[in-house]
Amino acid sequence: MKQKLLGKTFLWLFFALPLLGFSQGTVSGNITDSSYGGPLAGVNVVVKGTSRGAVSDFDGNYSINVNSFPATLVFTSLGYETKELTVEGPTTLNVSMAESATGLDEVIVTGLGTSIKRSNLANAVATVSNQELVGTTAQSTLDGALYGKLTGVNITSSSGAPGGGFALRLRGISSINGNNQPLYIVDGVYVNNAEIPSGLRFASGANRGNEENSANRIADLDPNDIQNIEVLKGASAAAIYGTRANAGVVIITTKRGSQGKTEVKFSQDTGFNTIIKRLGLRPWTAQSVEDTFGAAEVTLYNQAIANGGLFDYEDIIYGETGLITDTRISASGGDEKTKFYVGASYRNEEGIIKNTGFDRFSLRANVDHKISNTFNFSASSNYVRSSSSRSFTGNENEGGLSYGYTLAFTRPWIDLFPDETGTYPDNPNYSGNPIFVRDLAKNEDKNNRFIQGIKLEANVLNTGDDAVKLIFNGGADFLANETFVYVPETHQAQRGNQNGFIGVGKNNFTNFNYQGIAVWNHNAMGGDLALTSQGGISYLEQQADLIFNQSTQLIPDQTNLSQGSAQAITQNTSVVKEFGYFAQVEGNYQDQLIATVGYRFDKSTLNGNPNKYYGFPKASLAVNLHNFDFWSDGALQRLKLRAAYGETGSSAAFGSAFTGLNQVSIGGVGGSSISALKGDPNVEPETSSEFEIGFDAGLFNKVNLEVSYYNRNVSDLLLSRVLPTSTGFGSETTNLADLKNYGVEVGITVNPVQEENFFWTSNINWWFNRSEITRLDVPPFPQPGAGFGLGLGTFYIEEGKPVTQLAGNVNGVPTQIGNVEPDFQMGFFNNFTIAKQFDVSFLLQWKKGGDNINLSKLLTDLGGTTPDLDTPEAQERTSLGFVAERFVEPAGYLRLREAAVYYRLPSSALAFFGDTVTGVKLGVSGRNIFTITDYSSYDPETSTNGGAGLSSGIEVTPFPSTKQFYFHLNVNF
Amino acid sequence: MKIIQKYYSIGGLALLVFFGAFISACSFDEQVDPNRPSLAGVLTDASQNQLNNLVVGVESAMRNSLPIQTTASGTMARELYLFDADPRNTGDLLGGNGSNLDNNSFYSTAPWGGRYVSIKNANILLQSLDNTTSVTDTQKAGYRGFAKTVIAYELIEVLKMYNRARIDVADPDNLGPILEFDAALTAVRALLDEALSDLNGAGSEFAFPLAGFDGFDTPSTFAQFNRATAAVAAVYAGDGGAALTALSNSYFDLNGDLNIGPKHIFSLDSGDQTNGLFKIPDNNGDQIIVHDSFIADAEAGDTRVSSKTLIRANPTTQDDLSGAYQTALYASNISPIDMCRNEELILVYAEANILTNDLSEAENALNVIRNSAGLADLPLPIVPYTAEELTTELLNQRRYSLWCENHRMFDLRRYNLSNTLPIDRAGDQIFNIMPTPLSENE
């Protein structure tokens, strides 16, 4: 029986195949925006029911091979309504697509193995497309590129140095000592975003590694490789990620190939960096010199004036114009079985301080292959080599290295340039000469990184009403980081003391993770109810081995570790393993009611009990009122009500459970001394539970509105509390408090003008967050590592107060003196397409409220160099003495974050190149073009304590932020 | 058709087996710190090696935060200024512009914390000794005598700075109260006596090496350090008789080398510390500047001024303070710092004699110090010097003999003379007690 059936099939195929051959052909045409008729680039065209696809070019032209007619072509593009058209044979098919302002058809990942259309989503998941991320201006790092583009996101910059130093906070502070940075997942790989200290603190005297202003390693990802970013901001959306998701999840999908003609793209950005603003010189007069430094100093001042004027060291150190180039080439394409995207890019960015810079070489190969109807796999490979030279900025203690410190004390009549023999004079005003440091000292890092993701899918069952798919995905992220710090023995703070410093770090990180998921799609109630169920396991392992080698008492001019007579090595290793189960069921009743319930169990070696499972539930409901029969179309075209609840966790940092003894020595004999950290052997993860409600509405065909309110409670907050030091311990990380965050997020997209020659899209994001510590089991305390004590101002953990409060001693009583939380933030993005060929866009970001503690000013006040010291305001300030309130400043701002003008060459102009060139786009753009702020230092976005934990709003002599301008050239072949 | 479906199922089954293997294999081991030994590991059945490592920890931590302890109290007592990038060194500590001492700034938290790390290490050693059989009872007595003596020495440092101390800190979860000066000092003196009796039963050799205790590294010679400390504590308690008794069993030698005594030693070795009170001569931005009054008030020819200070190539100014001299107390960043040298014991002897009213012996001792500094004997008075006059002279000699060694602030406080200190800038204030750190949660 079976044999006969097969035989018949073959017979049938024998006849049918030639026929199929006859009906093959190409459909091509032009895709335009229906509103104004301009060309639409990047539209995906797929033959329905196959994986055959193509993408439209800059001029909206596409061409696709169709195997069998009649066929249905599906046209999709982010932000446009999907269109399906049937073709009967090879033809020219011009398509006009209508804008769908909210991207309702966009697909959002909500489970680990499943996704859902945005229109059915019950959470406010923010997505950023490649166009939004890098379409306006060139971006150095992907986190820095997100400024102002998402609601509920706060970005802190700890350094303006090339190569980043950012921290993302999603919906406020979710953790104080646990992980406060979101989980980054790139093509299924949990990637490393460590901020790796270089050990320069052993030369500069900075207190901790987080004061070294290192970059965070998400900087290794080329933002141009990214197709799409999804940001799961809170527990209600991210619950299925369990104990890694307390601070949110950033899911990054890189570009992939599609079937069709191989497309080659070349783009070149060339630009420059300059300091964001100059603080300037104090307007010195002989009188003010005498009043400040005494009569003897006036002689030096007069000498300098006579010899050609004062030295503006701010300009000398920070005043360089850094050249930026970014070159990219990529090819993508594929056939029915195999699709590929390969790309290479090289970015080179010079800083505004001589000898600083960042470069990144990135290679990517993404391959999708269909093995059979059952099996298919995808592989995503990315090799990155990046390096940076960040020189010396930020906090220090008498190292004579950090520029901001040196400049605060250096008087502008002192000549610090080398003499004709190349000898740098000592700085008579401070322990270091900034010109010496700039020219001769080094703080560099190199990273070799390989990120490999893999996904294997098996469609094990597919009947009409049931489909079962097994998915295995995972990957590895290997990072070899090397740091190098060198301070020559001739530096004035080294001579006679350390006599030169070399610090070499060799740091290896291996992260790998995998998931096994089974997904079952079932149609019930005659197709009215679609059920998507999934269950699976997840495993994660993170290994780190950080070795720091230090050599001092150097042989002159030598930069080799062995050329010093005093050497020290420190090593820190860690292995973290986590394992979890998860399951989720989603039901969709006719796109009217969409409900999801899910649960995840996780255990982690970071918890006191490594084999105890912690559970994280989630549930959500979306109601699409406009899909019900009673809905009648009016001004309000769409209305979706949604509610979601979820829980996530965060485990304590590695080592929190251990009480150990540190290595010390005296008299050539080694020994053990108690470590400052008292371990808690019962430490548990902190748990966040979030409830979110909101609605999405579409009005007048022009306006889309998305409003969400969330309330998140973090219970058993992990706190590194200060212990009475008479115990011999300094701190303990344990579960001590509860924290509440709540806020509102509003997103509005409007298309005010949709004329043929003028098309305007406007997007407003507005949000705020408030926090409160609702339980604290210990007396209030200054957060260790987040400030400089109550004397100068610090974050202060206190029940009933916001977690972001700044406190200082006022008359001996710890008192709130500020709050880094803004009143609200707003992003205002506008895009104009004029006469079909010009694109003009800009992004304004407004941060209203929020305070900083500006301790750079403390230093310049102390050094007598603050530009405003001769004004009455400054005299009032200095009369306060060095108290914390004096340095609190409003840190709100309005900034033109990005702006650009692009011009697309019309097809007629391209004809000049013949067939080879299919699109050319030229443009100019800028980043951080202007800022209006009352803040008196370089940038209100600042953090002297890096990106982790409670860090933002405290400034100590950062690497100044920059503004950047670019010229862009994009060519498609 | 069915064949194909079966093929699918086999593929799925293979994957399920694959996943299943991972699920069953996943039980995590108990975690241990891969980077350092655990505290629990030394608290029970400690080997002699582990005990000796703790001895090193005790000695090493005695040096923690010594620089700031010394410069902060020295600044408050107008012995010196610390000119660096932290304005609190010239602001808060001098009460500049009406500012007060802060109980959550490095100068108040670090000296306290530093002393109690050493005390903690000593307490860990004491606890370990109770739970091990790796050394004999005689050897244990040696460890205990050492640990208790150091705890007492460190508590005296705390009392000098803060005028109070927490004595019972053995159990971090159940701390004893913070005692005021007199009660705390009584407890310290009792602890020293307890340590002495341990040392007396400790045989002839310690089971552990010591660093910086050359000549004081056996139970009997270490007991001399114990008694020196007891003598210091006794005069601080106003008990001259006990001080004299203790001195007689210490290394006090009226005519001996002034520099004899245990020292904090330093090196460039890995894990070791350097002497943070050493400052590069003529360096700016990190310098101990000598208070003008120390130079101006000195008797002509006092060699202690010329040996301890150095005139700068250029005078320096910061925060409206200025000075022309810098520290020369230590020759390099590995020069040792005295814990208690014979010179101090001679001054303690003089003080004890004033307290017991043997004024001529006190004068005699003060003349030994004067002569050693190149100064002549006190001029012969028409009537014998009174106790007050000799006390004034004693404090003056202590000022010059012990400059920048964390004595002046406490000396003036205990004699109620802090208000005699000069004020350098309008609005400055005089403080003589460091506030107890905020983290003590009082």
Side-chain angles (χ1 to χ4, degrees), chain A residues 374 398 405 427-428 431 495-497 514 573 603 611 659-662 665 672-674 724-727 782 788 790 809 858-859, chain B residues 8 22 26 28 35-37 39 53 57 63 84-85 87-88 102 104 112 120-121 166 271-272 278 280 283-284 286 333 439-440:
Chain A
T374 308
E398 290 74 57
Y405 265 81
N427 186 345
S431 51
R495 247 176 12 233
N497 203 344
Y514 62 77
T573 64
K603 64 177 185 176
N611 284 308
T659 306
L661 301 169
N662 285 333
S665 101
S672 302
S673 178
I674 192 73
T725 46
S726 56
T727 58
F788 295 87
L790 287 164
N809 267 336
L858 175 152
L859 295 167
Chain B
Y8 284 0
F22 284 111
C26 205
F28 297 144
N35 297 311
R36 52 186 66 76
L39 173 61
N53 286 338
R63 307 167 300 175
D84 67 4
R88 289 171 287 186
D102 184 82
N104 189 232
W112 179 280
K120 176 70 183 174
N121 289 337
R166 202 189 288 277
D272 206 344
F278 164 75
I280 303 168
N283 192 26
N284 303 293
D286 182 20
N333 63 358
S439 59
E440 294 301 309

Coordinates of all heavy atoms in Angstrom, one line a residue, chain A residues 374 398 405 427-428 431 495-497 514 573 603 611 659-662 665 672-674 724-727 782 788 790 809 858-859, chain B residues 8 22 26 28 35-37 39 53 57 63 84-85 87-88 102 104 112 120-121 166 271-272 278 280 283-284 286 333 439-440:
Chain A
T374 N 12.4 19.6 8.1 CA 12.3 19.4 9.6 C 13.3 20.3 10.2 O 13.0 21.0 11.2 CB 12.7 18.0 9.9 OG1 11.8 17.2 9.2 CG2 12.5 17.8 11.4
E398 N 46.3 62.1 44.9 CA 47.7 62.5 44.9 C 48.5 61.7 43.9 O 49.7 61.6 44.0 CB 48.3 62.3 46.3 CG 47.8 63.4 47.3 CD 46.4 63.0 47.8 OE1 46.2 61.9 48.3 OE2 45.5 63.9 47.6
Y405 N 42.1 66.9 38.0 CA 42.7 67.3 39.2 C 43.9 68.3 39.0 O 44.0 69.3 39.6 CB 43.3 66.0 39.9 CG 42.3 65.5 40.9 CD1 41.3 64.6 40.6 CD2 42.5 65.7 42.3 CE1 40.5 64.1 41.5 CE2 41.7 65.2 43.2 CZ 40.7 64.3 42.8 OH 39.8 63.8 43.8
N427 N 55.3 70.3 38.2 CA 54.3 71.3 38.4 C 54.4 71.8 39.8 O 54.3 71.0 40.8 CB 52.9 70.5 38.2 CG 51.7 71.5 38.2 OD1 51.9 72.6 38.7 ND2 50.6 71.0 37.8
P428 N 54.6 73.1 40.0 CA 54.7 73.6 41.3 C 53.4 73.7 42.1 O 53.4 73.9 43.3 CB 55.3 75.0 41.1 CG 54.9 75.4 39.8 CD 54.8 74.1 39.0
S431 N 50.8 67.6 42.1 CA 51.7 66.5 42.1 C 52.0 65.9 40.7 O 52.5 64.9 40.6 CB 51.4 65.5 43.1 OG 50.0 65.1 42.9
R495 N 58.8 59.8 41.4 CA 60.2 59.9 41.7 C 60.4 59.8 43.2 O 59.8 60.6 44.0 CB 60.7 61.3 41.2 CG 61.7 61.2 40.1 CD 62.1 62.6 39.6 NE 61.7 63.7 40.4 CZ 61.1 64.7 39.9 NH1 60.7 64.8 38.6 NH2 60.8 65.8 40.6
G496 N 61.3 59.0 43.6 CA 61.5 58.8 45.1 C 60.5 58.1 45.8 O 60.5 57.9 47.0
N497 N 59.4 57.6 45.1 CA 58.4 56.8 45.7 C 58.2 55.5 45.0 O 59.0 54.6 45.2 CB 57.1 57.7 45.8 CG 56.2 57.2 46.9 OD1 56.3 56.2 47.4 ND2 55.2 58.1 47.2
Y514 N 22.9 28.1 27.0 CA 22.1 27.4 26.0 C 20.7 27.2 26.5 O 20.5 27.3 27.7 CB 22.7 26.1 25.5 CG 22.8 25.1 26.6 CD1 21.7 24.4 27.1 CD2 24.1 24.8 27.2 CE1 21.8 23.4 28.1 CE2 24.2 23.9 28.2 CZ 23.1 23.2 28.6 OH 23.2 22.3 29.6
T573 N 39.4 35.0 40.3 CA 38.7 34.1 39.4 C 37.3 33.9 39.9 O 37.0 34.0 41.1 CB 39.3 32.7 39.3 OG1 39.2 32.1 40.6 CG2 40.8 32.8 38.9
K603 N 18.0 28.5 39.6 CA 18.9 28.4 40.7 C 20.2 28.9 40.3 O 20.5 28.9 39.1 CB 19.0 26.9 41.2 CG 19.6 26.0 40.2 CD 19.7 24.6 40.8 CE 20.4 23.6 39.8 NZ 20.6 22.3 40.4
N611 N 21.5 25.1 45.2 CA 20.6 24.2 44.6 C 19.1 24.5 44.9 O 18.2 23.7 44.6 CB 20.9 22.8 45.0 CG 22.1 22.3 44.2 OD1 22.2 22.4 42.9 ND2 23.1 21.8 44.9
T659 N 33.2 34.7 53.6 CA 34.0 35.5 54.4 C 35.4 35.0 54.4 O 35.6 33.8 54.7 CB 33.5 35.4 55.9 OG1 32.1 35.7 55.9 CG2 34.3 36.4 56.8
G660 N 36.3 35.8 53.9 CA 37.7 35.3 53.6 C 38.8 36.1 54.3 O 38.5 37.1 54.9
L661 N 40.0 35.6 54.0 CA 41.2 36.3 54.5 C 42.0 36.7 53.3 O 42.3 36.0 52.4 CB 41.9 35.3 55.4 CG 41.2 34.7 56.6 CD1 42.0 33.6 57.2 CD2 40.9 35.8 57.6
N662 N 42.4 38.0 53.4 CA 43.3 38.5 52.3 C 44.7 38.3 52.6 O 45.2 38.2 53.7 CB 43.0 40.0 52.1 CG 41.7 40.2 51.5 OD1 41.2 39.4 50.7 ND2 41.0 41.3 51.8
S665 N 51.5 41.0 53.9 CA 52.9 40.5 54.3 C 53.5 41.6 55.0 O 53.2 42.8 54.9 CB 53.7 40.1 53.1 OG 54.6 41.0 52.7
S672 N 47.7 36.4 56.7 CA 46.3 36.6 56.3 C 45.6 37.6 57.2 O 45.8 37.6 58.4 CB 45.5 35.3 56.6 OG 46.1 34.2 55.8
S673 N 44.9 38.5 56.6 CA 44.1 39.5 57.3 C 42.7 39.5 56.9 O 42.4 39.2 55.7 CB 44.8 40.9 57.0 OG 44.1 41.9 57.7
I674 N 41.8 39.8 57.8 CA 40.4 39.6 57.5 C 40.0 40.5 56.3 O 40.5 41.7 56.2 CB 39.5 40.0 58.8 CG1 38.1 39.6 58.6 CG2 39.7 41.5 59.1 CD1 37.9 38.1 58.7
P724 N 29.4 48.3 61.5 CA 30.3 49.0 62.4 C 31.7 48.5 62.2 O 32.0 47.3 62.3 CB 29.8 48.6 63.8 CG 28.4 48.1 63.5 CD 28.4 47.5 62.1
T725 N 32.7 49.4 61.9 CA 34.0 48.9 61.6 C 34.7 48.3 62.8 O 35.7 47.7 62.6 CB 34.8 50.0 60.9 OG1 34.7 51.2 61.6 CG2 34.4 50.2 59.4
S726 N 34.2 48.5 64.0 CA 34.8 47.9 65.1 C 34.6 46.4 65.1 O 35.2 45.7 65.9 CB 34.2 48.5 66.4 OG 32.8 48.4 66.5
T727 N 33.8 45.9 64.2 CA 33.7 44.4 64.0 C 34.9 43.9 63.3 O 35.1 42.7 63.2 CB 32.4 44.1 63.2 OG1 32.6 44.7 61.9 CG2 31.1 44.4 63.8
P782 N 25.3 55.6 54.5 CA 25.8 56.1 53.2 C 26.2 54.8 52.3 O 26.9 54.0 52.8 CB 27.0 56.9 53.5 CG 27.1 57.0 55.0 CD 26.2 55.9 55.5
F788 N 31.3 60.3 48.4 CA 32.5 60.6 49.2 C 32.1 60.9 50.6 O 32.6 61.8 51.2 CB 33.3 61.7 48.5 CG 33.8 61.3 47.2 CD1 33.1 61.4 46.1 CD2 35.1 60.6 47.1 CE1 33.5 60.9 44.8 CE2 35.5 60.2 45.9 CZ 34.8 60.3 44.7
L790 N 29.3 61.6 53.9 CA 28.3 62.7 54.2 C 29.0 64.0 54.2 O 28.3 65.0 54.2 CB 27.6 62.4 55.5 CG 26.6 61.2 55.5 CD1 26.3 60.7 56.8 CD2 25.4 61.6 54.7
N809 N 26.0 65.8 55.5 CA 25.8 66.3 56.9 C 25.5 67.8 56.9 O 26.3 68.6 56.4 CB 27.1 66.0 57.7 CG 27.0 64.6 58.4 OD1 25.9 64.1 58.6 ND2 28.2 64.1 58.7
L858 N 34.6 71.6 43.5 CA 35.3 71.6 44.8 C 36.8 71.8 44.6 O 37.5 72.6 45.3 CB 35.0 70.4 45.6 CG 35.6 70.1 46.9 CD1 34.8 69.2 47.8 CD2 37.0 69.4 46.7
L859 N 37.3 71.0 43.6 CA 38.7 71.0 43.4 C 39.2 72.4 42.8 O 40.2 72.9 43.2 CB 39.1 69.9 42.5 CG 38.9 68.5 43.1 CD1 39.0 67.4 42.0 CD2 39.9 68.2 44.2
Chain B
Y8 N 10.5 12.5 11.4 CA 10.4 13.7 12.2 C 10.5 13.3 13.7 O 11.3 14.0 14.5 CB 9.1 14.4 12.0 CG 8.9 15.2 10.7 CD1 10.0 15.2 9.8 CD2 7.8 15.8 10.5 CE1 9.8 15.9 8.6 CE2 7.6 16.5 9.3 CZ 8.6 16.6 8.4 OH 8.5 17.3 7.2
F22 N 21.0 17.1 29.9 CA 21.4 18.3 30.6 C 20.7 18.5 31.9 O 21.2 18.9 33.0 CB 21.3 19.6 29.8 CG 22.3 19.7 28.7 CD1 22.0 19.5 27.4 CD2 23.6 19.9 29.1 CE1 23.0 19.6 26.4 CE2 24.6 20.0 28.1 CZ 24.3 19.9 26.8
C26 N 22.4 18.4 36.2 CA 22.6 19.7 36.7 C 22.4 19.9 38.2 O 21.3 20.3 38.6 CB 21.8 20.7 35.9 SG 22.5 22.3 36.0
F28 N 24.4 21.6 41.4 CA 25.6 22.4 41.7 C 26.3 22.0 43.0 O 25.6 21.7 44.0 CB 25.3 23.9 41.7 CG 24.7 24.4 40.5 CD1 23.7 25.4 40.5 CD2 25.2 24.0 39.2 CE1 23.2 25.9 39.3 CE2 24.7 24.5 38.0 CZ 23.7 25.5 38.1
N35 N 39.4 32.4 45.6 CA 40.4 33.4 45.6 C 41.1 33.6 46.9 O 42.2 34.2 46.9 CB 39.8 34.7 45.2 CG 39.2 34.7 43.7 OD1 39.9 34.2 42.8 ND2 38.0 35.1 43.6
R36 N 40.6 33.0 48.0 CA 41.2 33.3 49.3 C 40.7 32.3 50.3 O 39.7 31.7 50.1 CB 40.9 34.7 49.8 CG 39.4 35.0 49.8 CD 39.2 36.5 50.2 NE 39.7 37.4 49.2 CZ 39.0 37.7 48.1 NH1 37.9 37.1 47.8 NH2 39.6 38.5 47.2
P37 N 41.5 32.0 51.4 CA 41.1 31.1 52.4 C 39.9 31.7 53.1 O 39.7 32.9 53.2 CB 42.3 31.0 53.3 CG 43.1 32.2 53.0 CD 42.9 32.6 51.6
L39 N 37.4 32.3 56.4 CA 37.6 32.6 57.8 C 37.3 31.3 58.6 O 38.0 30.9 59.5 CB 36.6 33.7 58.3 CG 36.5 34.0 59.8 CD1 37.9 34.4 60.3 CD2 35.5 35.0 60.1
N53 N 50.2 32.9 60.1 CA 49.7 33.8 59.1 C 48.8 34.9 59.8 O 48.8 36.0 59.4 CB 48.8 33.0 58.1 CG 49.7 32.2 57.1 OD1 50.9 32.6 57.0 ND2 49.1 31.2 56.5
G57 N 49.0 38.9 59.9 CA 47.8 39.8 59.7 C 47.6 40.8 60.8 O 47.3 42.0 60.5
R63 N 49.4 48.8 60.8 CA 49.9 49.9 60.0 C 48.8 50.6 59.1 O 49.0 51.6 58.5 CB 51.0 49.5 59.0 CG 52.2 48.8 59.7 CD 53.1 48.1 58.8 NE 52.4 47.1 58.0 CZ 52.9 46.4 57.0 NH1 54.2 46.6 56.7 NH2 52.2 45.5 56.3
D84 N 47.0 68.3 50.0 CA 46.7 67.5 48.9 C 45.4 67.9 48.3 O 45.0 69.0 48.5 CB 46.8 66.0 49.3 CG 45.6 65.6 50.2 OD1 44.7 66.5 50.5 OD2 45.6 64.5 50.7
A85 N 44.8 67.0 47.5 CA 43.7 67.4 46.7 C 42.4 67.3 47.5 O 41.3 67.7 47.0 CB 43.6 66.6 45.4
P87 N 40.1 68.9 50.2 CA 40.0 70.1 50.9 C 39.6 69.9 52.4 O 39.8 70.8 53.2 CB 38.9 70.9 50.2 CG 38.0 69.8 49.6 CD 39.0 68.7 49.2
R88 N 39.2 68.7 52.7 CA 38.8 68.4 54.1 C 40.0 68.4 55.0 O 39.9 68.6 56.2 CB 38.0 67.1 54.2 CG 36.6 67.2 53.5 CD 35.9 65.9 53.4 NE 36.5 65.1 52.4 CZ 36.0 63.9 52.0 NH1 34.9 63.4 52.6 NH2 36.6 63.2 51.0
D102 N 33.3 65.7 60.5 CA 32.3 64.8 60.0 C 32.5 63.4 60.4 O 33.6 62.9 60.4 CB 32.3 65.0 58.5 CG 31.2 64.2 57.8 OD1 30.1 64.8 57.7 OD2 31.4 63.1 57.4
N104 N 31.5 60.8 58.9 CA 31.5 59.9 57.8 C 32.5 60.3 56.7 O 32.2 60.2 55.5 CB 30.0 59.8 57.2 CG 29.8 58.8 56.2 OD1 29.4 59.0 55.1 ND2 30.3 57.5 56.5
W112 N 39.8 54.7 62.8 CA 39.0 53.7 63.6 C 39.0 52.4 62.9 O 39.3 51.3 63.6 CB 37.6 54.3 63.7 CG 36.6 53.5 64.5 CD1 35.9 52.4 64.0 CD2 36.2 53.7 65.9 NE1 35.1 52.0 65.0 CE2 35.2 52.7 66.2 CE3 36.5 54.6 66.8 CZ2 34.6 52.7 67.4 CZ3 35.9 54.6 68.1 CH2 34.9 53.6 68.3
K120 N 40.6 42.8 65.1 CA 39.9 41.7 64.6 C 40.8 40.5 64.3 O 40.5 39.3 64.7 CB 39.1 42.0 63.3 CG 38.3 40.9 62.6 CD 37.2 40.5 63.5 CE 36.4 39.3 62.9 NZ 35.3 38.9 63.8
N121 N 41.9 40.8 63.6 CA 42.8 39.7 63.3 C 43.3 39.0 64.6 O 43.5 37.8 64.7 CB 44.0 40.2 62.5 CG 43.6 40.5 61.1 OD1 42.6 40.0 60.6 ND2 44.4 41.4 60.4
R166 N 35.3 50.9 71.7 CA 34.5 49.7 71.9 C 35.5 48.6 72.3 O 36.4 48.3 71.5 CB 33.8 49.4 70.6 CG 32.5 48.5 70.9 CD 31.9 48.0 69.7 NE 31.2 49.0 68.8 CZ 29.9 49.4 69.1 NH1 29.3 48.9 70.1 NH2 29.4 50.3 68.2
G271 N 52.0 42.6 48.7 CA 51.2 42.4 49.9 C 51.6 43.2 51.1 O 50.9 43.3 52.0
D272 N 52.8 43.8 51.0 CA 53.3 44.7 52.1 C 52.8 46.1 51.8 O 52.2 46.5 50.8 CB 54.8 44.6 52.1 CG 55.3 44.9 53.5 OD1 54.6 45.4 54.4 OD2 56.5 44.6 53.8
F278 N 55.9 59.2 54.5 CA 57.0 59.7 53.7 C 56.4 60.6 52.6 O 55.5 60.2 51.9 CB 57.9 58.6 53.1 CG 58.8 59.0 52.0 CD1 59.9 59.8 52.3 CD2 58.4 58.8 50.7 CE1 60.7 60.2 51.2 CE2 59.2 59.2 49.6 CZ 60.4 59.9 49.9
I280 N 57.6 63.0 49.1 CA 58.8 63.3 48.3 C 59.2 64.8 48.5 O 58.3 65.6 48.5 CB 58.4 63.1 46.8 CG1 57.9 61.7 46.5 CG2 59.5 63.5 45.9 CD1 57.2 61.5 45.2
N283 N 57.9 68.0 46.7 CA 56.7 67.7 45.8 C 55.5 68.6 46.2 O 55.4 69.0 47.3 CB 56.4 66.2 45.9 CG 55.4 65.8 44.8 OD1 55.4 66.4 43.7 ND2 54.6 64.8 45.0
N284 N 54.7 68.8 45.2 CA 53.5 69.6 45.5 C 52.3 68.7 45.3 O 52.3 67.7 44.6 CB 53.4 70.8 44.4 CG 54.7 71.6 44.5 OD1 54.9 72.3 45.5 ND2 55.5 71.5 43.5
D286 N 50.9 66.9 47.3 CA 50.8 65.8 48.3 C 52.0 66.0 49.3 O 53.1 65.4 49.1 CB 50.9 64.4 47.7 CG 50.8 63.3 48.7 OD1 50.3 63.6 49.8 OD2 51.2 62.2 48.4
N333 N 60.1 55.8 51.6 CA 58.8 55.2 51.8 C 58.9 53.8 52.4 O 57.9 53.1 52.5 CB 58.0 55.1 50.5 CG 58.7 54.3 49.4 OD1 59.7 53.8 49.6 ND2 58.0 54.2 48.2
S439 N 29.1 54.7 61.2 CA 28.8 53.3 61.0 C 28.7 52.5 62.3 O 28.2 51.4 62.4 CB 29.8 52.6 60.1 OG 31.1 52.8 60.7
E440 N 29.2 53.1 63.4 CA 29.0 52.4 64.7 C 27.5 52.5 65.2 O 27.2 51.8 66.2 CB 29.9 53.0 65.8 CG 31.4 52.8 65.5 CD 31.8 51.3 65.4 OE1 31.5 50.6 66.3 OE2 32.4 51.0 64.4

